[in-house]
Amino acid sequence: MSPLSPPTIPYSFSVLLNGHYLCVDHSAHSSRSFNITDWTCIRVEPELRITTIKQEPYTMSKGLGLEGFCMDLLSELAKIVGFRYKVHLVKDGYYGRVDESGHWNGMIGEVIRGEADLAMAPLTLTAAREKVVGMTQPFMQTGISILLRRDRSEKQGFFNFLSPFNTETWVSLLVAYLGTTACIFLIARLSPCEWDPQTKQNNFSIMHSFWYTVGGLTLQGAGPHPKSLPGRVVSSCWWLFTLFLLAHYFTNLTAYNSTQSTSVTVKGFEDLANQDKIEYGCLEGSSTLAFFKNSDNMMYRRIYEHMERRKSFVASMDEGVSRAKEGTYAFIGESVSLDLAVARHCELVRTHEVIGMRGYSIAAPIGSPLIKNLSVAILQVSEGGNLAYMRRKWWANSCLDQDQTVSAQAPPHGLKGLFLLLSLGLSVGLLLGLLELTAHSIARAAEQKKSCCSVLIEQLSLRFGPNKTKPQETGDNDKDKA
């Protein structure tokens, strides 16, 4: 073979042109001439290098892969724009800021250095970042807010006198009141001792039973009092119940007022800046810190100077949430991320005030054609309702339905024994009332020479029927008529 002759290629081969088209030569000739009819070209989607950072719920580990809001959004954008991708985590674990040497680190640094084609994460769109990389249309709007424990954000209300007991305890108290009223009314009807021999009337009507029970609850009393043994048993149990209940109530009320007088209520940034009992801070090196640092607002500057002086920054979102749960720290961060913390931890709450509205965007090299295509794709996903669906999916409330009241409230299990004793006393009173009526019916049956059951049924109908006269006089009236 001549050294100048082309090599023989007995098989087809392929060439990737411009990173977008794969061309395959089907000819088996050895000629070096190019014949377009011998080639077949198909479009090949480019594989983009995507850098991201772990943060719930945007990007999280799932086995050997990743999942989360950003991964779902990236999958949708890849289908619309048409590209393949490979995701890796940012090496230094930062979002992107200028370090001491004057260079950008984090995901922004990787995009600038060409180590990644896109940065897919909750990257805040800022002027500083827009100068060094291209940013797409924001896929989520957010702002800066405050995360703190729930009792630190509660304000004084008109119904703070209900605070010593939780809702379950108040409902149980209402049931106990209604049950005691019903027992007193029934026992007064059953017992022969509660019928006035002169007026042939029963003093314990349903209205008087309600009034008598209220009088016992307020330790004031409301006569006339029961004369029968079952009535006195029920009354005594109710008085003891209310005595211990009121002692518990006033103890908790005192503790609650003492806690409120020494605690600080934070409803916004002004309250936060004007107090020194609660420490506060934000994520170190974040855009939130840059907002306060570069702000011309005097109050925001005071907040930045306080954080810088105390070095109250946190290294991660999880650390900020953990410190906020302790109750002595207020975590300042992106409102969207704080909403997720509230959905996961029932004892936390985000203040309503939101400042510094901004958006989360995808970063790409300056001049990249992907910026325009991705911005249009983001709008299409938003208009189709998929962004809202993803938000509901990954921000769903997963915290357990637990008591969200302050610690000064009485737990329901702490009063279970008191309610149990009252229930036992009411049961004993009703049983004694039935035994008393049964004994009275047996005596009347012996006098009238009737069966005990018929006399008992007659007595019950007279006591609970429309006839309000004294039941025991009916037998004497029959004798007079005879």
Side-chain angles (χ1 to χ4, degrees):
M1 180 183 295
S2 171
L4 297 178
S5 62
T8 302
I9 305 176
Y11 48 85
S12 62
F13 63 97
S14 60
V15 178
L16 186 64
L17 300 178
N18 199 26
H20 294 280
Y21 292 92
L22 178 66
C23 297
V24 182
D25 179 17
H26 297 284
S27 66
H29 56 75
S30 60
S31 173
R32 298 186 64 182
S33 62
F34 179 79
N35 189 351
I36 192 63
T37 59
D38 296 331
W39 291 75
T40 301
C41 296
I42 59 175
R43 179 177 175 83
V44 178
E45 305 298 345
E47 184 176 79
L48 301 180
R49 298 163 299 170
I50 311 294
T51 181
T52 188
I53 190 172
K54 279 188 179 181
Q55 180 180 335
E56 187 184 3
Y58 302 99
T59 304
M60 302 172 291
S61 297
K62 183 182 181 183
L64 298 178
L66 299 171
E67 68 171 358
F69 177 88
C70 285
M71 296 300 101
D72 287 356
L73 178 58
L74 182 61
S75 177
E76 290 292 326
L77 297 179
K79 294 177 183 178
I80 297 176
V81 178
F83 62 85
R84 295 180 296 114
Y85 58 90
K86 184 177 182 180
V87 182
H88 68 270
L89 296 175
V90 61
K91 298 179 180 64
D92 58 11
Y94 290 106
Y95 286 87
R97 62 186 176 92
V98 180
D99 57 20
E100 293 79 2
S101 62
H103 299 92
W104 282 83
N105 61 12
M107 292 178 286
I108 299 296
E110 289 190 1
V111 173
I112 294 174
R113 294 188 298 269
E115 300 172 6
D117 299 306
L118 292 176
M120 184 66 187
L123 276 172
T124 306
L125 178 60
T126 63
R129 289 171 178 171
E130 186 73 24
K131 292 178 181 178
V132 295
V133 294
M135 305 290 284
T136 65
Q137 168 80 18
F139 60 82
M140 183 178 292
Q141 295 294 330
T142 184
I144 300 175
S145 191
I146 307 170
L147 180 73
L148 63 166
R149 203 171 66 184
R150 185 172 295 275
D151 59 308
R152 291 296 188 179
S153 66
E154 292 177 347
K155 59 182 180 179
Q156 298 288 338
F158 294 105
F159 299 98
N160 280 347
F161 64 91
L162 299 176
S163 300
F165 292 155
N166 55 29
T167 304
E168 185 178 348
T169 304
W170 285 115
V171 172
S172 300
L173 177 59
L174 178 61
V175 173
Y177 167 72
L178 295 177
T180 304
T181 301
C183 285
I184 290 178
F185 175 75
L186 291 175
I187 290 173
R189 290 288 167 181
L190 294 174
S191 177
C193 301
E194 300 299 340
W195 294 86
D196 193 327
Q198 303 296 329
T199 61
K200 302 178 182 180
Q201 295 292 326
N202 192 299
N203 293 322
F204 278 87
S205 64
I206 186 64
M207 294 304 298
H208 180 71
S209 299
F210 276 110
W211 177 246
Y212 182 82
T213 310
V214 169
L217 182 62
T218 57
L219 302 181
Q220 298 300 313
H225 298 288
K227 301 176 183 178
S228 63
L229 176 62
R232 291 179 178 180
V233 168
V234 171
S235 298
S236 299
C237 290
W238 177 247
W239 291 341
L240 288 174
F241 171 81
T242 56
L243 180 65
F244 287 107
L245 186 74
L246 290 175
H248 209 103
Y249 172 84
F250 287 112
T251 301
N252 289 336
L253 183 63
T254 303
Y256 176 81
N257 290 333
S258 176
T259 302
Q260 291 297 311
S261 62
T262 58
S263 65
V264 179
T265 300
V266 177
K267 295 181 289 183
F269 288 95
E270 185 175 358
D271 294 335
L272 194 65
N274 293 333
Q275 59 82 40
D276 56 1
K277 294 183 179 180
I278 302 177
E279 191 62 83
Y280 54 89
C282 64
L283 193 63
E284 185 178 9
S286 63
S287 60
T288 300
L289 177 61
F291 171 83
F292 288 100
K293 181 179 180 180
N294 302 325
S295 176
D296 295 329
N297 187 296
M298 294 301 298
M299 182 179 65
Y300 299 160
R301 290 290 302 177
R302 283 169 51 201
I303 293 177
Y304 167 74
E305 292 170 359
H306 174 90
M307 294 188 295
E308 187 67 32
R309 183 173 61 255
R310 298 286 187 91
K311 300 298 180 183
S312 55
F313 307 113
V314 294
S316 65
M317 179 76 181
D318 292 337
E319 182 183 351
V321 172
S322 178
R323 293 188 63 180
K325 291 168 65 176
E326 297 174 359
T328 58
Y329 186 83
F331 179 52
I332 304 174
E334 305 284 356
S335 60
V336 175
S337 300
L338 301 186
D339 288 339
L340 176 70
V342 172
R344 298 292 187 270
H345 307 278
C346 296
E347 67 270 32
L348 297 178
V349 65
R350 179 179 69 81
T351 59
H352 295 292
E353 184 180 7
V354 179
I355 61 175
M357 294 301 298
R358 73 277 300 277
Y360 289 154
S361 299
I362 303 173
I366 293 179
S368 172
L370 287 172
I371 298 176
K372 179 66 174 179
N373 295 336
L374 289 174
S375 296
V376 174
I378 290 172
L379 291 175
Q380 291 177 354
V381 174
S382 177
E383 292 170 358
N386 286 339
L387 269 182
Y389 167 75
M390 295 177 195
R391 174 70 183 271
R392 291 193 301 270
K393 173 185 176 182
W394 293 104
W395 270 261
N397 194 324
S398 62
C399 75
L400 298 177
D401 184 14
Q402 59 186 21
D403 183 30
Q404 299 176 350
T405 54
V406 296
S407 57
Q409 289 181 332
H413 58 79
L415 296 174
K416 279 185 178 179
L418 195 58
F419 284 98
L420 182 62
L421 289 177
L422 177 63
S423 302
L424 182 62
L426 297 182
S427 302
V428 171
L430 282 175
L431 180 60
L432 291 176
L434 289 173
L435 292 177
E436 187 177 19
L437 179 61
T438 302
H440 178 73
S441 299
I442 292 175
R444 298 295 297 175
E447 293 178 4
Q448 300 178 9
K449 301 186 182 303
K450 295 181 179 180
S451 66
C452 179
C453 293
S454 61
V455 174
L456 179 62
I457 294 174
E458 180 183 357
Q459 292 292 320
L460 289 174
S461 62
L462 290 173
R463 281 165 166 78
F464 296 100
N467 186 8
K468 303 300 182 183
T469 59
K470 182 180 177 183
Q472 64 196 47
E473 292 296 329
T474 55
D476 297 337
N477 292 340
D478 292 341
K479 292 180 180 180
D480 294 340
K481 293 179 180 179

